[in-house]
Amino acid sequence: MNDIENSMANWAPIAVVPSVDVRTSRLAGPHIALLGADDERYQRCVNESPDLGRFLSSFTDSHGKVVRPSLIATSTLYGGKPSPSAVASFKDIVVASVTLDERLHAILSDNVRGPFYSGSFDIYPWMISNYKDRLVARTPAISSLHRLQGFRGLASPALPIHRIEDEYVHGGLFAGLYRLWQRQYISNEDNWEPRAILRSVNMASAAMQLPITSVAETIYDWGRCISLWVSAFEILIHPGGNGQANQNKVLEMLWEIEWLYRGNRDAIYSIEFGRKRTEQRTLPEFLYNRLYRLRNDYLHGNPVEGEGFMMENGTSVLSYPAALYRMALASKVPHEDPISHEDVKSGRRSVDEYSLHYRSTLFQNDCERCLLRAVDPEAAKDDE
């Protein structure tokens, strides 16, 4: 949406996300948006509803420090109140557009700068209602109406509050997923492709939740995360109908990706298929097979040990699903408007346009370097 369209549209608050401080306008489409407190649309929503302003100003962290909740809002272009499924799916594409790349950054730099867990984007269960001074909560556990007076909102006590800047958002991925979201929830297409991809993204979002419900983490929490990751891959490649999604189909997808680093292209890793057949496969395929076998052991109740979640060089297998999935997702949601050197040389596109497009492809370098760390942390430095 351009500035003129944005100034003309009316926006309505739908839900509050208290554990991220959004400082970017890149998580917005023409129908629905995640807005930060400095956004003009956010301010308009507050100005039009005194109850909303009181509600938002009542949020603190666990120690009483005031926080800036972010706001999911819809525009008049939506044409009505969105379904809970539409809002939840929008939240999932926000998670994918931020958290996948932030996980790569955290693993490569050993520094968490942004949301590492999808729970940072959890929607608060209470929201203002159509009645003055009243809040409403609707979840699978509660359905309740309560007075706004005396309300005290709390950001997640288990997660830090992250500020979301422009650089934390992969605009190309968000745009591609948003187009699929529009097909599913605005155009109401009866099409398998957008449904499968958005469903897969939902499963990946679940896989990136904080894996524990208390301060005591176990290897079974790790197994549950891996199981969700494997499901996200299988849903992504499912052809629909009576088609099949299995390990071979996922491995085929990973093989077909145009990997940049030789270490991810060479088929030099042994994978066992059953008890009698062993094949040489690429590193991405080898890592997925490792996840797949762990998933099977976990879900089938087979014996599992903590050592099984570690690679030979001491790194955790949980460091690699996000990079694998990010590449798989890019193969299903390609850049809508790729630009080549030839486009610039011929004058069809500008250098600035090419630079912007090139920056949007750098995630692949991070993904591949992340995968190579599974076998040799030094291998990615000059292996192209």
Side-chain angles (χ1 to χ4, degrees):
M1 179 179 288
N2 59 39
D3 293 338
I4 296 176
E5 291 172 326
N6 178 43
S7 65
M8 294 175 63
N10 291 321
W11 290 80
I14 296 296
V16 168
V17 182
S19 296
V20 287
D21 180 5
V22 174
R23 304 292 182 100
T24 176
S25 60
R26 300 182 70 185
L27 294 169
H31 306 89
I32 190 168
L34 178 61
L35 308 174
D38 293 333
D39 194 286
E40 180 185 355
R41 293 163 289 185
Y42 185 109
Q43 293 300 326
R44 270 187 266 157
C45 288
V46 171
N47 293 339
E48 292 171 4
S49 173
D51 277 359
L52 179 64
R54 290 171 58 199
F55 178 63
L56 294 170
S57 65
S58 299
F59 280 86
T60 68
D61 64 13
S62 298
H63 297 280
K65 182 181 178 181
V66 175
V67 300
R68 295 163 38 114
S70 299
L71 189 65
I72 295 178
T74 55
S75 77
T76 49
L77 294 177
Y78 200 101
K81 188 174 181 179
S83 68
S85 294
V87 176
S89 183
F90 172 74
K91 187 203 73 170
D92 290 337
I93 69 176
V94 167
V95 169
S97 303
V98 177
T99 303
L100 284 172
D101 285 7
E102 285 306 306
R103 284 194 164 214
L104 299 176
H105 177 273
I107 291 166
L108 290 172
S109 67
D110 296 318
N111 176 42
V112 177
R113 66 171 188 177
F116 191 87
Y117 295 106
S118 57
S120 293
F121 295 94
D122 280 354
I123 294 173
Y124 201 74
W126 289 91
M127 187 56 180
I128 60 170
S129 71
N130 294 328
Y131 302 99
K132 185 177 180 181
D133 191 39
R134 291 292 186 273
L135 300 176
V136 63
R138 290 191 180 92
T139 75
I142 59 173
S143 179
S144 183
L145 192 69
H146 208 287
R147 293 189 64 184
L148 172 57
Q149 183 178 353
F151 170 78
R152 294 292 181 270
L154 186 67
S156 171
L159 295 167
I161 296 174
H162 290 286
R163 181 179 294 185
I164 311 297
E165 309 278 3
D166 281 355
E167 63 188 281
Y168 294 5
V169 182
H170 195 284
L173 181 59
F174 178 83
L177 291 173
Y178 190 87
R179 288 191 295 272
L180 296 173
W181 182 89
Q182 285 180 289
R183 291 171 59 186
Q184 179 79 8
Y185 295 104
I186 302 301
S187 302
N188 296 312
E189 289 186 18
D190 184 16
N191 189 292
W192 178 258
E193 180 190 38
R195 185 183 306 118
I197 294 174
L198 294 176
R199 181 179 170 186
S200 172
V201 168
N202 173 264
M203 191 64 76
S205 180
M208 291 188 286
Q209 284 279 0
L210 190 67
I212 57 175
T213 55
S214 68
V215 295
E217 184 179 31
T218 74
I219 61 173
Y220 308 119
D221 297 307
W222 305 344
R224 185 172 58 254
C225 286
I226 287 174
S227 300
L228 293 168
W229 276 119
V230 170
S231 291
F233 282 98
E234 292 181 342
I235 294 168
L236 188 65
I237 55 90
H238 199 293
N242 295 323
Q244 290 187 337
N246 52 37
Q247 179 184 206
N248 286 336
K249 295 291 185 182
V250 176
L251 295 180
E252 181 180 334
M253 172 186 61
L254 294 174
W255 167 257
E256 291 175 350
I257 291 173
E258 294 184 7
W259 300 97
L260 301 175
Y261 288 83
R262 186 175 63 249
N264 288 316
R265 297 193 305 263
D266 293 344
I268 58 175
Y269 299 91
S270 295
I271 294 180
E272 293 183 3
F273 293 89
R275 296 180 179 179
K276 297 182 178 179
R277 183 163 62 96
T278 300
E279 293 184 8
Q280 299 300 110
R281 295 294 185 97
T282 64
L283 177 60
E285 294 172 282
F286 171 77
L287 291 174
Y288 180 79
N289 173 259
R290 184 74 174 266
L291 296 173
Y292 182 82
R293 289 188 288 112
L294 279 171
R295 188 277 298 264
N296 289 348
D297 285 341
Y298 173 78
L299 290 185
H300 296 160
N302 299 335
V304 290
E305 301 292 341
E307 293 80 4
F309 292 87
M310 305 302 293
M311 300 297 296
E312 283 68 17
N313 65 5
T315 58
S316 169
V317 295
L318 288 167
S319 297
Y320 309 112
L324 276 176
Y325 184 76
R326 182 69 178 86
M327 291 299 298
L329 189 59
S331 73
K332 299 293 182 179
V333 190
H335 199 286
E336 184 183 39
D337 185 25
I339 302 173
S340 66
H341 285 289
E342 292 302 321
D343 292 326
V344 177
K345 290 180 180 178
S346 66
R348 291 191 298 268
R349 308 300 290 270
S350 69
V351 173
D352 288 343
E353 287 177 308
Y354 176 77
S355 178
L356 183 63
H357 169 68
Y358 175 74
R359 288 198 299 273
S360 75
T361 68
L362 293 179
F363 75 90
Q364 180 166 351
N365 289 307
D366 291 340
C367 287
E368 297 205 37
R369 290 168 53 223
C370 182
L371 297 180
L372 288 169
R373 284 185 55 159
V375 290
D376 182 2
E378 302 297 319
K381 291 184 176 179
D382 36 44
D383 186 45
E384 292 186 60

